[in-house]
Amino acid sequence: MKKLLITGFEPFGGQNINPSWQSVLALENQIGDCQLTKLEIPTAFKRGADCVLKKAKEINPDVIICVGQAGGRNAVTLEVVAINLMDANIPDNLGYKPINTPILEDGENAYFSNLPIREMVEAINREGVPSKLSYSAGAFVCNEVLYTLLHEYNGTCVKVGFIHVPFLPEQTDGTMPSLEKEQIVRALASAIKVL
Ligand code: PCA
């Protein structure tokens, strides 16, 4: 049995729910070969990543998957890469809004996810939920969490990745794409089964 630490974020940017945590919370505790530990993390630079790292030190996971909201996307997207940049359009939940700032002074420019992301995209699509790779996790908190984790576990056998999910229908007025929570939950479960 593998240990999977899976996280979702608190609501941010004026929303009162975050589909990432709603969906993570709704997952079964055991999926395929994985025992899940679920964690809600703050949408705040440094704090969010610190929470994941603290829990990871406690449970020693084999895999860490962070899930976040990407409003406006129309598919469940598996992030390919995290970049060493914070460039926020809005303040995080603690009011911090870094512009053109490295996450780690002298850190690598970027890290690639080491999850089997292509197989995961295929599995999600087979499940009937739209999914694709994404070549940018943005430059807000999600990218910073992924970068920090990939830096921390670089050279170890811990697998780390990030899945961005669309809005839920209740977050949009119909002009933005969305997926039902049930679809996002099925997408996450089928991706986890690939591990
Ligand atoms: N999405 C944001 C941060 C929290 C979340 O759910 C992002 O894409 O950076």
Side-chain angles (χ1 to χ4, degrees), residues 8-12 18-21 41-44 67-71 73 137-144 162 164:
F9 282 94
E10 287 173 351
F12 70 101
N18 190 319
S20 64
W21 177 240
I41 62 172
T43 303
V67 185
Q69 163 186 305
R73 289 196 188 168
F140 193 49
V141 177
C142 292
N143 172 73
E144 185 254 356
F162 199 101
H164 261 125

Side-chain angles (χ1 to χ4, degrees), residues 53-91:
L53 288 173
K54 181 164 175 275
K55 181 57 84 177
K57 299 283 175 279
E58 231 173 273
I59 66 168
N60 283 317
D62 301 288
V63 185
I64 305 174
I65 299 179
C66 300
V67 185
Q69 163 186 305
R73 289 196 188 168
N74 58 7
V76 172
T77 49
L78 280 282
E79 296 298 344
V80 172
V81 63
I83 59 174
N84 188 13
L85 178 70
M86 300 185 285
D87 213 10
N89 291 322
I90 56 166

Side-chain angles (χ1 to χ4, degrees), residues 17-69:
I17 53 169
N18 190 319
S20 64
W21 177 240
Q22 301 291 318
S23 312
V24 167
L25 197 56
L27 287 166
E28 302 285 340
N29 291 323
Q30 196 183 316
I31 297 173
D33 195 26
C34 291
Q35 185 65 46
L36 278 61
T37 299
K38 304 168 189 173
L39 181 70
E40 185 182 27
I41 62 172
T43 303
F45 287 103
K46 183 93 172 73
R47 282 293 174 95
D50 283 350
C51 285
V52 187
L53 288 173
K54 181 164 175 275
K55 181 57 84 177
K57 299 283 175 279
E58 231 173 273
I59 66 168
N60 283 317
D62 301 288
V63 185
I64 305 174
I65 299 179
C66 300
V67 185
Q69 163 186 305

Side-chain angles (χ1 to χ4, degrees), residues 76 124 127-130 178-188:
V76 172
I124 298 169
E127 190 64 35
V129 181
S178 64
L179 286 177
E180 298 289 343
K181 184 169 102 176
E182 170 275 323
Q183 292 177 290
I184 298 176
V185 173
R186 267 196 298 119
L188 296 177

